[in-house]
Amino acid sequence: DSGVTQTPKHLITATGQRVTLRCSPRSGDLSVYWYQQSLDQGLQFLIHYYNGEERAKGNILERFSAQQFPDLHSELNLSSLELGDSALYFCASSVGRTRYEQYFGPGTRLTVT
Amino acid sequence: GENVEQHPSTLSVQEGDSAVIKCTYSDSASNYFPWYKQELGKRPQLIIDIRSNVGEKKDQRIAVTLNKTAKHFSLHITETQPEDSAVYFCAPNNQAGTALIFGKGTTLSVSS
């Protein structure tokens, strides 16, 4: 157990819908990262927040957005869902600054039908 | 952006053999080089990492070596066991140090 929690574990929804995935980092970690893992694309970095502020963006679609709240938990919002958005979504956390070690949560499996 | 390649993409060994996976990266500013292990349906787990000021690091049966000049680092697993079977990812950090860029993974199968 890494100490990073994610909810829900599974999510099944229809095309065009919007969902919110939630992540709580390890105690003391200020950075949260979101990744998408699909069979054909591997682990793709989406976005990084540090202490409430966006630090870096990766291959995140405009239909996706994220935020990190004052209590440091983070939410990833996915809207106008398409079949191709079906994937495992992981968040990871790290202390931040010059401590780069990232610890992953168990993931949320999203199925868009 | 950073380009990361892993070789081989699949590796099959007999129990007790050694396994080596190589990762090449393009960003000369990368200074952190981790390896993750992911079992089927589970989260990626950090198994070993190295910083750019160190050439080699060992932890029991696993080791990582870094060649910054050639821009590659490798994972070495000795005395492999069936429970080492998993997908292994290298993930050097980007220039700003704000993200890890994952390779496409190497599927290691250890047969007994």
Side-chain angles (χ1 to χ4, degrees):
Chain A
D1 187 359
S2 65
V4 180
T5 61
Q6 287 186 250
T7 55
K9 281 185 90 168
H10 302 279
L11 203 45
I12 301 174
T13 189
T15 53
Q17 295 297 305
R18 172 189 166 96
V19 296
T20 297
L21 313 184
R22 185 189 166 103
C23 168
S24 292
R26 294 185 319 160
S27 176
D29 285 359
L30 299 179
S31 274
V32 171
Y33 309 79
W34 286 97
Y35 294 87
Q36 179 192 58
Q37 186 173 38
S38 54
L39 280 172
D40 57 344
Q41 292 291 325
L43 263 164
Q44 296 278 311
F45 165 67
L46 296 178
I47 199 163
H48 168 202
Y49 276 84
Y50 174 78
N51 203 20
E53 292 189 7
E54 182 185 301
R55 288 292 310 281
K57 262 184 174 175
N59 299 320
I60 189 165
L61 299 171
E62 282 193 17
R63 301 183 284 109
F64 295 2
S65 65
Q67 53 185 327
Q68 186 180 28
F69 294 86
D71 67 352
L72 301 176
H73 90 271
S74 177
E75 292 181 356
L76 179 68
N77 299 296
L78 316 176
S79 61
S80 303
L81 284 167
E82 302 174 0
L83 295 177
D85 298 327
S86 296
L88 254 177
Y89 290 84
F90 287 105
C91 81
S93 73
S94 72
V95 172
R97 295 288 188 186
T98 57
R99 295 289 304 276
Y100 301 123
E101 301 91 327
Q102 292 186 23
Y103 297 92
F104 280 73
T108 293
R109 182 170 292 284
L110 173 67
T111 302
V112 182
T113 61
Chain B
E2 173 91 88
N3 188 34
V4 178
E5 290 189 6
Q6 276 183 242
H7 294 281
S9 55
T10 60
L11 182 56
S12 295
V13 299
Q14 291 285 319
E15 184 176 0
D17 287 351
S18 294
V20 181
I21 304 169
K22 184 175 177 180
C23 181
T24 58
Y25 60 95
S26 60
D27 192 342
S28 56
S30 295
N31 63 357
Y32 175 66
F33 308 93
W35 285 95
Y36 283 82
K37 174 184 180 182
Q38 187 178 27
E39 296 172 19
L40 195 61
K42 303 235 176 124
R43 74 187 83 198
Q45 280 188 289
L46 177 64
I47 56 170
I48 196 165
D49 57 10
I50 196 168
R51 299 240 175 182
S52 58
N53 57 347
V54 177
E56 182 173 355
K57 183 177 175 182
K58 196 170 178 181
D59 182 5
Q60 299 183 353
R61 295 187 299 108
I62 60 172
V64 55
T65 57
L66 172 65
N67 185 327
K68 267 222 106 183
T69 305
K71 290 191 277 188
H72 65 75
F73 61 112
S74 297
L75 176 69
H76 305 255
I77 306 174
T78 58
E79 299 170 34
T80 54
Q81 299 166 5
E83 50 266 38
D84 294 330
S85 298
V87 180
Y88 291 82
F89 294 95
C90 64
N93 64 348
N94 63 355
Q95 182 179 36
T98 54
L100 299 181
I101 308 304
F102 280 76
K104 291 198 179 299
T106 296
T107 301
L108 173 65
S109 300
V110 181
S111 52
S112 54

